[in-house]
Amino acid sequence: MLAILTLMHFAVDGVCAAELYLYELAEPDWLQVLFVFGLYNAAAFGFQWLAGLALDLRPAFRPALALSVCLLALGCIGAFGAPLRAGLLGAGNCLFHAAGGAWVLSRHPSTYSEPGIFVSSGAVGLALGLAGMIAPAVFLALCAVCAGFACWGMGRVPAQIPMSPAEAAPGEPASDEAALAKTSGGRLVPFLLGGCVLVLLACVVLRGFGGGGRCPGLPLLFPCVFALGKACGGLVCDRFGLKATALAVFLLCFLALQFGGLVPALLLAFAFNMTMPLTLRLAHWCFPKAPGLIFGLAAGCLLPGYFFKDALALPPQAMAVLVFLGLFLAGSTLARFGRLPARPARTSAKARPNGACGAGE
Amino acid sequence: MDALPVLVGPCLVTRIELGFALLTAAIETPVFWLCGYRRAFQCLCFAGVNLVTNLLLNEGLASQAGLGHYEQAVAIGEALVLAAEFALSRCFTQGSAGRLFLTVAATNLASFLAGIVLFW
């Protein structure tokens, strides 16, 4: 299922980008092009939290996927006006991301890899579409096939949604949160977790500003690095734990910022994108009953980076430090409340102490 | 097809930045040792943390130099350095977080005062 949804993510972003590319080729008025691109992005990212919230309240993933493909197909009809088509494509994209993201977060509740793998393919689809390398019809056909398989696969999985890592892994040490909730200080817990989510979303905003890049002549180079970074971030975090991964990301950023040239720029983009599955998963663990809302909010936080790319005069050094601090703060808080797994999820059953230091494991 | 950019360019760290970073590490690491973190591994790691944060601070400030509000940038940068040094030091120390924070604050205060004395 994860592979199908990942492939569908590639195709959904691809069809939208390919349609926008064809529109851009035909439209001589740059102001109109900017308006349509802005409209598409606002529709695709700005309302994902709402679609995610609706899916959290009523987890109708299969109808959402089917509807998203219908909306994308409508958006490809050339007879409609460009703003309407951008809106339809954005709405289809939004619905797919909310449904796919919520499904992946809720079905794989205690690991970082799956969200990373799911989000990784979008950048490549987007780049292929924007470069005009694959026709929208091909992407759309792939979308329809993937949606069919996904709906079939989702029907075979039981309908329950696992909650926090503690619930998903019975036998783990008891959570401090339950004990804390019985005291007067327990009222603070939702606020602390809300604060954690805000900090993590701020990390996503920073990544929206600092995680980009492009290489003239090689349009697929940076998108492939983005995808690799997102996928590797989750895999590395599952293998070595949150603390080691956050530290590795910070040190990679530091190393990349000491040199000029293409390879350090790629390394910086890779490191920034490694944080994507970490922020997603940690935010989900803050509110495990709302995976759709969390995924949608995280997607919406990429919008400032799109609309105000040049407005933020923050040096990349500060971004690297702030992202590391955000992960550290959120990891420490979640470890304190027993919401981090006691050990990296994919290692053997050998016991390790819980939350020994810093950002936990 | 456009020409490819340089794969790996020259190192962006200037000698002055490296000098300041080494000087800061030379001042702060003994203070860290004096505050009770006596293991050689801990002191070595703290010196490394100092080099990393100081280089990042100075590079960041250099990139902001032409934008004005330099004093505010320094204040924010120092606050970020303090937080980052605390967070990074948690990775190789055990014990009370409060004690570590006070130690890191003391080391930064020491290098700040040393800076005032050296550049008076």
Side-chain angles (χ1 to χ4, degrees), chain A residues 255-283:
Chain A
L255 199 64
L257 288 167
Q258 305 314 307
F259 298 93
L262 180 61
V263 174
L266 290 171
L267 190 63
L268 189 64
F270 177 81
F272 261 111
N273 279 282
M274 276 179 80
T275 62
M276 179 76 176
L278 278 62
T279 46
L280 259 182
R281 178 53 80 198
L282 291 177

Side-chain angles (χ1 to χ4, degrees), chain B residues 39-65:
Chain B
R39 287 169 53 193
F41 173 72
Q42 289 177 335
C43 291
L44 203 64
C45 287
F46 189 73
V49 164
N50 252 286
L51 283 177
V52 167
T53 53
N54 201 269
L55 283 174
L56 285 177
L57 174 68
N58 284 323
E59 288 162 8
L61 288 175
S63 71
Q64 299 291 96

Side-chain angles (χ1 to χ4, degrees), chain A residues 165-360:
Chain A
E167 289 173 30
E172 298 293 347
S175 158
D176 289 351
E177 189 184 351
L180 190 63
K182 290 175 185 166
T183 67
S184 58
R187 284 193 290 270
L188 288 176
V189 172
F191 293 102
L192 286 173
L193 293 175
C196 266
V197 171
L198 287 180
V199 166
L200 291 164
L201 292 179
C203 290
V204 179
V205 172
L206 284 175
R207 195 177 54 247
F209 282 99
R214 63 176 53 190
C215 176
L218 290 173
L220 281 180
L221 182 61
F222 269 91
C224 287
V225 169
F226 300 158
L228 199 64
K230 286 168 186 169
C232 285
L235 292 166
V236 168
C237 200
D238 275 344
R239 181 71 183 82
F240 298 104
L242 177 63
K243 186 177 70 175
T245 310
L247 197 58
V249 166
F250 179 70
L251 291 177
L252 280 179
C253 287
F254 168 74
L255 199 64
L257 288 167
Q258 305 314 307
F259 298 93
L262 180 61
V263 174
L266 290 171
L267 190 63
L268 189 64
F270 177 81
F272 261 111
N273 279 282
M274 276 179 80
T275 62
M276 179 76 176
L278 278 62
T279 46
L280 259 182
R281 178 53 80 198
L282 291 177
H284 174 229
W285 280 341
C286 291
F287 294 105
K289 292 180 183 175
L293 176 66
I294 291 296
F295 194 91
L297 283 173
C301 285
L302 294 171
L303 269 182
Y306 174 78
F307 283 114
F308 309 108
K309 187 84 179 169
D310 300 322
L312 190 72
L314 203 61
Q317 290 86 357
M319 286 188 198
V321 171
L322 283 169
V323 168
F324 171 72
L325 287 175
L327 290 174
F328 172 81
L329 196 64
S332 302
T333 309
L334 285 168
R336 193 173 178 80
F337 293 149
R339 289 201 177 204
L340 288 187
R343 59 183 182 275
R346 291 193 191 287
T347 54
S348 67
K350 200 167 75 174
R352 293 175 63 174
N354 187 14
C357 58

Side-chain angles (χ1 to χ4, degrees), chain B residues 29-103:
Chain B
T29 308
V31 179
F32 185 73
W33 184 84
L34 282 174
C35 289
Y37 295 93
R38 300 287 166 89
R39 287 169 53 193
F41 173 72
Q42 289 177 335
C43 291
L44 203 64
C45 287
F46 189 73
V49 164
N50 252 286
L51 283 177
V52 167
T53 53
N54 201 269
L55 283 174
L56 285 177
L57 174 68
N58 284 323
E59 288 162 8
L61 288 175
S63 71
Q64 299 291 96
L67 301 175
H69 309 293
Y70 188 72
E71 288 77 13
Q72 288 95 320
V74 170
I76 293 169
E78 286 289 354
L80 281 179
V81 163
L82 181 64
E85 285 183 359
F86 168 71
L88 289 166
S89 300
R90 285 289 282 168
C91 298
F92 56 85
T93 57
Q94 286 82 38
S96 161
R99 179 180 161 227
L100 179 66
F101 184 79
L102 287 176
T103 301

